[in-house]
Amino acid sequence: MSDYYDEIEIEDMDFNPTKQIYTYPCPCGDIFRISLEEMWEFGEDVANCPSCTLQILVIYDDDDLPELEGFDDDSEDGDDAEGVDNDQEKLAVQLK
């Protein structure tokens, strides 16, 4: 069993849309951090403080997370062949 400093609802954390990270004040004076990518890609629910050993458990539902900007999930759907065909057509038009 892991020991966490606290369990924090994601609604109580600050979200930076530019950096796409959630933060929460740590008692050491720094901040706990967890990235949106970590939550979407890896299902991460632990935010770490870079200055001390404390961790918090972040309570959230995937449905409540904002979309991950700059994320293109086409390649993970197995539909790469369609994308290749479109790229070949674009290249053929550019060569004319």
Side-chain angles (χ1 to χ4, degrees):
M1 180 173 127
S2 295
D3 291 320
Y4 301 108
Y5 170 71
D6 205 350
E7 294 182 8
I8 305 297
E9 296 281 338
I10 199 162
E11 295 84 13
D12 295 330
M13 299 180 77
D14 292 321
F15 181 65
N16 180 322
T18 304
K19 294 181 180 180
Q20 295 196 324
I21 61 170
Y22 281 92
T23 59
Y24 190 80
C26 181
C28 79
D30 205 343
I31 55 175
F32 295 102
R33 295 176 175 93
I34 187 167
S35 74
L36 190 56
E37 181 179 16
E38 291 171 317
M39 291 186 279
W40 272 115
E41 293 295 307
F42 308 110
E44 187 64 59
D45 62 356
V46 177
N48 298 296
C49 176
S51 297
C52 69
T53 60
L54 293 179
Q55 298 177 322
I56 57 172
L57 183 64
V58 180
I59 310 300
Y60 70 95
D61 186 353
D62 288 344
D63 295 335
D64 296 331
L65 292 177
E67 289 296 319
L68 187 59
E69 290 182 20
F71 179 71
D72 182 12
D73 62 351
D74 288 343
S75 62
E76 294 183 7
D77 290 341
D79 295 335
D80 290 340
E82 183 178 322
V84 170
D85 290 341
N86 288 339
D87 290 340
Q88 289 174 345
E89 289 173 16
K90 291 176 187 175
L91 181 58
V93 170
Q94 289 175 352
L95 294 175
K96 289 184 180 181

